[in-house]
Amino acid sequence: MTGITVLVVVVILAVAVGLILRRRSGAVRTIASTDSDDLLPLLVDAGVTSGTSTILHFSADWCGPCAAVRRVVHQVLADRTEAREVELDIDAHPNLARELGVLSLPTTFVLDTELRRRSRIAGVPSAADLRSALDAL
C-alpha cells in the first residue's frame, strides 16, 4: 500500500511540474535590465548593433522548436522596419549565452536601441506577445 501511495504522489507532482513548465513556456517576462559591462562587448562581437530594437534569439541545429521561433520572429518583423532580428547559435557563442543566463533553447531576448535587455522569452512565443514586447519599447 505504501508503494502505491508513493507512486500516486510522484505522479501528481510530475503532472503539476509539467503544467507549470508548460504554462511558463513562451511567456514574455519583462526584465529590469542590470546588464554588466561585460555584456556589451560580447553582443557587439556577436554582430548585434545598437540604434534599433533587436530580437535576439539563441538556437542550435539540433533544436526543433527553434524553427518555430524563427517563423514567429519573421512574422512579427514582416511589417516592422524599426526592429531587427539576430539569431545566434548557442554553440558558436557560449560566453554570451552564459552571460545572459541561457539555460535552455529556444531563448529569445528583446533588446532596446541601447542593447539593454527588456524582455526574455523561454520557449516559443506567440506573435501577439512578441509584438507587445516590441511595442513596450
Side-chain angles (χ1 to χ4, degrees), residues 67-106:
V69 171
R70 208 172 293 121
R71 284 190 299 273
V72 170
V73 169
H74 289 172
Q75 178 184 357
V76 169
L77 293 181
D79 57 345
R80 292 179 180 261
T81 57
E82 76 280 359
R84 67 185 213 116
E85 169 197 20
V86 175
E87 181 177 1
L88 297 177
D89 188 317
I90 194 167
D91 297 324
H93 300 279
N95 293 335
L96 179 57
R98 189 176 317 110
E99 186 71 27
L100 290 170
V102 176
L103 299 176
S104 63
L105 291 178

Side-chain angles (χ1 to χ4, degrees), residues 11 15 31 51 65 75 77 119:
V11 168
V15 168
I31 21 181
Q75 178 184 357
L77 293 181
S119 300

Side-chain angles (χ1 to χ4, degrees), residues 38-88:
D38 299 335
L39 186 60
L40 190 59
L42 291 172
L43 286 169
V44 171
D45 286 344
V48 182
T49 57
S50 60
T52 60
S53 303
T54 304
I55 297 175
L56 170 67
H57 58 105
F58 284 89
S59 64
D61 292 338
W62 45 265
C63 173
C66 293
V69 171
R70 208 172 293 121
R71 284 190 299 273
V72 170
V73 169
H74 289 172
Q75 178 184 357
V76 169
L77 293 181
D79 57 345
R80 292 179 180 261
T81 57
E82 76 280 359
R84 67 185 213 116
E85 169 197 20
V86 175
E87 181 177 1
L88 297 177

